[in-house]
Amino acid sequence: KVFLQTEDGKKILCDLAKSNDRAMREIAAENPNTPKTVLKRLATDKDKGVRLAVAKNLSADSSILAILAEGEDWWRILYEIAIHSNTSKNTLAKLAEHKDAGVRSMVASNPNAFKTTLTKLATDSFLIVRNEVVKNPNTPDKARRKMK
């Protein structure tokens, strides 16, 4: 683990990320020491397992998560982006419009969401979404009152 934090370790992670083997790219995508430039490239990988590993990587920043969310249709990846602590308010606002209630509920659970996003989700037709809005400490009182 410590070795991967060194320059030689990061070079190995970069090499793994270029592999034709999906499992090797996944190892690089999930490693928190993988350079951000490499994670950004892996966020557009053709394999959804690799993209999922990027979405779960705690080192993925908001710009990487935004790239990953753009055009993604697999709910599992969208869930991970929606609950990620580095996901931006703007990306969460876009995900709040998703057709899948599970994705919207994960957005509603994220404390990074805009208050306006939470207010909108407070009137969602699905109870699972509204329940997450209630639990979010950043939900405005006005939105909470609307839900009663």
Side-chain angles (χ1 to χ4, degrees), residues 38-49:
V38 175
L39 285 178
K40 200 170 268 194
R41 183 168 34 84
L42 291 171
T44 61
D45 196 276
K46 66 182 183 263
D47 185 87
K48 64 184 176 185

Side-chain angles (χ1 to χ4, degrees), residues 102-146:
V103 172
R104 295 193 310 276
S105 73
M106 296 297 105
V107 170
S109 75
N110 192 319
N112 293 341
F114 282 123
K115 290 182 187 219
T116 53
T117 300
L118 293 170
T119 299
K120 181 176 185 238
L121 292 172
T123 60
D124 195 278
S125 61
F126 285 84
L127 181 61
I128 187 173
V129 178
R130 296 190 311 270
N131 282 342
E132 291 302 324
V133 171
V134 169
K135 292 187 230 173
N136 191 317
N138 294 327
T139 298
D141 289 338
K142 181 179 175 183
R144 288 181 196 280
R145 284 192 297 274
K146 277 185 182 178

